[in-house]
Amino acid sequence: MSSQIDHLLDETRRFPPSEEFIAQTISSPELYERAAADREAFWGEQSRELVHWHKPFTQVLDWTNPPFAKWFDDGELNVAYNCLDRHVEAGNGDRVALHWEGEPGDSRRITYAELTDEVKRVANVLEGLGVGQGDRVAIYLPMIPEAIASMLAVARLGAIHSVVFGGFSADSLRSRIDDAGAKLVITADGGYRKGRVSALKPAVDQALADRGDGEQQTVEHVLVVKRGENDVDWVEGRDVWWHDVVPAASSEHTASAFPAENPLFILYTSGTTGKPKGILHTSGGYLTQAAYSHKYVFDLHPETDVFWCTADIGWITGHSYVAYGPLANGATQVLYEGTPDTPHPGRWWEIIEKYKVSIFYTAPTAIRSFMKIGRSVPQKFDLSSLRLLGSVGEPINPEAWMWYRDVIGAGKTPIVDTWWQTETGAIMVSALPGVTETKPGSAQVPLPGISIDVVDESGVEVGNGNGGLLVITEPWPSMLRGIWGDPERYRETYWEKFEDQGYYFAGDGARLDEDGDLWLLGRVDDVMNVSGHRLSTAEIESSLVAHEATAEAAVVGASDETTGQAVVAFVIIKESYLAAHEPAGLAQLLRLWVGEQIGAIARPRDVYIVGELPKTRSGKIMRRLLRDVAEGREVGDTTTLADTAVMSIISAQVK
Ligand code: ATP
Ligand code: MG
């Protein structure tokens, strides 16, 4: 079967960087030239420039035992020292590291000197609780400064963190604690979400309770931050209040040097396609690429910029672009605890106005939910501090891209659409905002130093103008080093498909346009085959979203007796439109619209108007569940779904 995708919307809008932007940008086309001349030397340079090495490395890459890479292997560093102490030593201790905003409106301003002190105290406490190099620590916290301090304190000791998103259930937490064999859990009584306190400690208690015979309990202590002021149960001897021990601890703590390949963290993927995988990242290569990509993709001017990445620290985006990238670069950033619409739908825009955010990084799902409410909400706020916008997590439809640029970016800010994965550790594909002419909906080009290609099923390049499978053809510094405890699954999942070529298979479909720019087409598993034509979910969704009635759309292929597979669409209609039109008429209108835009072959067999779409906690659409509904099957594993009730509502609407 060919892996060609049969059609793609023609998008002809182009946005070169403005003169004003070019005049101040830190990047230049020279980066591409240097990386192309000698890729490994380039990464060596970047690492020496962006990272402080306690002991310098002499070799950049060891790829003698693929797919197990070693980067900067004989070098030694301390990741937390890189994110904290060195900025203070360089005289930047008074710079704000975090502008933290709690959901109820309380706030804290924390400088690099203060954060360094706090992390040293926490490191001393953790050491006192028996945590040392290589031990695993589970972090189950809301988006509060203590979450960042905990990650850095664990890193400072050469231990390994496993951050579990605070919205996950006791069961999810338990399986992650057990998989990693965590020694310590850091949690809070609760945190604020949607205007009320959502408890966290009970889930930890439950995850650690009820062990059957022979089941090992690895957790020795639970360190608890008081945030929600809600009542909690207490296990004497096991549980420790943060406020009892951290302020009393010494703020003297010397950061030891650890080998470049010392593990830094385990993080589970979102589970969009199946059971989450425990992805392992190590220190030197990860920090190098996190810092490098943060600096150049976001054109960071650490003295003047205010950076805000809205991702939760429970996701890789929160690791690389809330914790490690920005702090390694000495950036000032915003950290927000709550939801975008609490207590009012303009909360995010209010925060941008309040802190004069200049660089803003969020996900298409958020952008589309703001589009659904309408531009009048953001227009009530002063967003003129913004100079650069970023997107991550899913393909951004051209219409959402344009709305983002026009409404949030005043029609002038560059947009960087960044493609990467938990496994890649850092951004791999993106425009460089001062260099690249951007195209709405295209993630565009690999970063300097990164080698990406689009190939067919047999690993042969498809060439410009064609679609196929996205592969990474050369190892990269922040690549995953494995799946925790399962080297065989690592090999099978990512390397087996193109074993002969030695390519990493990302699982995503992509197309190269005539200029060689990349367009992400969605998961390979989601590509549909209708009467022998291969169609991309992303493309049909973009077409649906391009209609003025549509706020959001998800498309799946459902088995069909005559065509093999048929296109089935689930669509959320904008509030203004829904009030004025009949659902049945709208569904027919959208079917015809897709037929006109792409061709009759892509016209959905069914269009269901729904109120919500099933999404992971990180906001990605879970198409596999919609496919279950469209094919009349029992709905599959929903444990990483943000709202499990959504699926029963959708099932009812479809029947
Ligand atoms: P799982 O691997 O468990 O199914 P997941 O792939 O959703 O979960 P993540 O690592 O959080 O977990 O997401 C990475 C995926 O997100 C990519 O493989 C890609 O499908 C999608 N993605 C991320 N950024 C972009 C982007 N800018 N454009 C298109 N797709 C993107
Ligand atoms: Mg994935």
Side-chain angles (χ1 to χ4, degrees):
M1 192 166 66
S2 113
S3 52
Q4 300 273 319
I5 302 285
D6 284 328
H7 188 277
L8 202 84
L9 291 173
D10 297 316
E11 173 56 63
T12 54
R13 290 169 285 199
R14 298 289 180 269
F15 299 93
S18 66
E19 290 305 324
E20 195 190 340
F21 201 96
I22 292 172
Q24 57 78 60
T25 188
I26 57 160
S27 63
S28 85
E30 203 219 326
L31 277 175
Y32 293 100
E33 289 157 25
R34 264 159 53 204
D38 187 339
R39 215 176 55 84
E40 281 182 31
F42 173 79
W43 282 120
E45 258 169 53
Q46 290 303 325
S47 191
R48 279 185 283 266
E49 189 184 312
L50 297 167
V51 172
H52 171 86
W53 289 90
H54 275 74
K55 175 175 171 252
F57 53 88
T58 60
Q59 189 188 16
V60 172
L61 170 66
D62 176 353
W63 191 233
T64 50
N65 180 30
F68 300 92
K70 290 179 180 163
W71 283 87
F72 316 116
D73 193 29
D74 60 347
E76 289 181 2
L77 76 165
N78 185 292
V79 171
Y81 175 87
N82 271 280
C83 294
L84 300 165
D85 315 45
R86 67 162 165 159
H87 303 313
V88 180
E89 287 164 17
N92 293 321
D94 291 340
R95 185 183 297 164
V96 174
L98 301 174
H99 284 295
W100 177 73
E101 178 87 7
E103 197 187 75
D106 48 339
S107 63
R108 283 163 68 186
R109 181 178 173 279
I110 302 173
T111 64
Y112 272 93
E114 289 163 346
L115 189 60
T116 304
D117 264 16
E118 174 87 346
V119 169
K120 289 179 176 178
R121 288 180 212 277
V122 181
N124 281 320
V125 166
L126 299 191
E127 253 171 357
L129 294 173
V131 175
Q133 184 181 6
D135 287 334
R136 277 80 64 204
V137 176
I139 297 177
Y140 185 66
L141 282 170
M143 287 288 281
I144 53 178
E146 287 82 357
I148 304 291
S150 297
M151 292 167 80
L152 292 169
V154 171
R156 192 174 187 91
L157 300 176
I160 307 170
H161 57 69
S162 166
V163 181
V164 180
F165 174 58
F168 276 148
S169 65
D171 273 354
S172 306
L173 177 61
R174 179 191 178 120
S175 64
R176 286 161 175 74
I177 288 174
D178 288 352
D179 188 58
K183 195 169 189 178
L184 174 76
V185 180
I186 308 180
T187 189
D189 48 359
Y192 287 86
R193 280 198 84 73
K194 298 190 200 296
R196 54 184 190 82
V197 172
S198 160
L200 289 166
K201 175 90 171 23
V204 176
D205 293 336
Q206 206 185 320
L208 300 182
D210 307 331
R211 302 262 149 180
D213 282 348
E215 260 188 295
Q216 195 67 28
Q217 170 64 275
T218 56
V219 174
E220 293 168 7
H221 291 286
V222 179
L223 183 58
V224 189
V225 180
K226 201 179 198 100
R227 164 67 184 149
E229 304 285 338
N230 47 317
D231 287 336
V232 291
D233 290 339
W234 206 251
V235 177
E236 285 304 331
R238 185 195 73 181
D239 298 350
V240 182
W241 279 115
W242 177 287
H243 61 255
D244 281 344
V245 290
V246 174
S250 161
S251 63
E252 298 289 319
H253 186 276
T254 309
S256 311
F258 294 99
E261 286 296 340
N262 195 54
L264 180 61
F265 64 85
I266 303 166
L267 183 66
Y268 293 81
T269 56
S270 337
T272 310
T273 52
K275 185 174 174 284
K277 302 170 277 286
I279 303 301
L280 175 68
H281 282 286
T282 61
S283 304
Y286 171 79
L287 193 67
T288 297
Q289 198 175 326
Y292 161 80
S293 55
H294 180 255
K295 176 173 173 174
Y296 290 106
V297 172
F298 298 109
D299 191 46
L300 183 76
H301 295 65
E303 306 79 17
T304 48
D305 274 319
V306 178
F307 178 76
W308 184 19
C309 164
T310 65
D312 192 278
I313 48 146
W315 312 119
I316 189 65
T317 309
H319 282 57
S320 305
Y321 303 106
V322 178
Y324 295 110
L327 295 176
N329 289 333
T332 294
Q333 61 175 331
V334 167
L335 186 72
Y336 172 55
E337 178 186 32
T339 44
D341 51 359
T342 308
H344 60 80
R347 188 63 196 276
W348 274 12
W349 318 123
E350 181 183 68
I351 291 173
I352 291 177
E353 179 180 281
K354 176 171 174 185
Y355 295 105
K356 301 197 167 35
V357 171
S358 56
I359 310 168
F360 182 62
Y361 189 31
T362 194
T365 182
I367 299 163
R368 290 188 300 253
S369 72
F370 292 122
M371 285 173 78
K372 182 164 72 173
I373 317 171
R375 61 179 69 204
S376 62
V377 174
Q379 278 170 348
K380 289 196 197 88
F381 298 89
D382 177 6
L383 306 180
S384 61
S385 55
L386 289 170
R387 64 179 195 91
L388 178 59
L389 302 173
S391 172
V392 61
E394 289 184 292
I396 177 165
N397 325 103
E399 285 317 305
W401 196 103
M402 289 303 301
W403 190 92
Y404 197 24
R405 182 179 158 101
D406 286 342
V407 179
I408 307 305
K412 65 178 174 67
T413 53
I415 295 181
V416 287
D417 174 11
T418 62
W419 177 89
W420 58 297
Q421 310 177 297
T422 308
E423 294 88 340
T424 69
I427 296 170
M428 302 293 278
V429 178
S430 170
L432 287 186
V435 177
T436 319
E437 181 180 69
T438 55
K439 300 177 179 176
S442 168
Q444 301 202 293
V445 284
L447 290 191
I450 299 299
S451 306
I452 300 263
D453 209 346
V454 180
V455 299
D456 66 15
E457 286 286 334
S458 52
V460 176
E461 272 183 64
V462 296
N464 290 359
N466 297 305
L469 311 173
L470 184 75
V471 293
I472 307 171
T473 59
E474 298 286 349
W476 64 103
S478 62
M479 66 194 284
L480 75 166
R481 299 303 197 264
I483 295 180
W484 182 253
D486 200 346
E488 199 37 49
R489 190 172 173 208
Y490 167 61
R491 201 190 285 276
E492 263 170 38
T493 312
Y494 306 107
W495 301 93
E496 202 163 64
K497 191 169 176 77
F498 298 114
E499 202 166 14
D500 296 345
Q501 296 81 359
Y503 294 166
Y504 168 93
F505 174 50
D508 287 346
R511 179 178 176 269
L512 289 171
D513 67 15
E514 297 299 342
D515 306 323
D517 282 323
L518 274 164
W519 297 73
L520 272 300
L521 300 175
R523 317 292 176 138
V524 170
D525 304 345
D526 291 335
V527 170
M528 298 165 290
N529 195 322
V530 180
S531 305
H533 297 268
R534 290 175 68 84
L535 300 172
S536 128
T537 52
E539 184 193 5
I540 302 177
E541 287 163 8
S542 287
S543 156
L544 286 163
V545 175
H547 192 282
E548 53 179 353
T550 312
E552 246 195 297
V555 162
V556 298
S559 55
D560 184 280
E561 281 181 14
T562 42
T563 56
Q565 275 190 315
V567 178
V568 176
F570 297 80
V571 177
I572 301 179
I573 300 294
K574 281 186 195 144
E575 281 159 18
S576 54
Y577 240 82
L578 209 50
H581 298 81
E582 283 295 321
L586 279 172
Q588 180 60 5
L589 189 75
L590 290 173
R591 287 186 67 244
L592 298 176
W593 166 262
V594 174
E596 276 166 33
Q597 288 238 306
I598 305 181
I601 190 75
R603 191 187 298 151
R605 183 187 71 190
D606 306 305
V607 172
Y608 296 113
I609 311 272
V610 294
E612 294 287 344
L613 291 170
K615 290 191 183 151
T616 62
R617 305 267 181 171
S618 53
K620 294 169 201 268
I621 299 171
M622 280 228 234
R623 293 181 190 74
R624 67 180 164 85
L625 300 180
L626 293 172
R627 204 179 308 126
D628 291 342
V629 171
E631 298 185 338
R633 255 194 318 277
E634 178 101 19
V635 172
D637 182 6
T638 58
T639 49
T640 59
L641 210 55
D643 176 1
T644 38
V646 165
M647 282 320 296
S648 31
I649 298 169
I650 294 175
S651 302
Q653 280 170 324
V654 167
K655 278 176 195 125

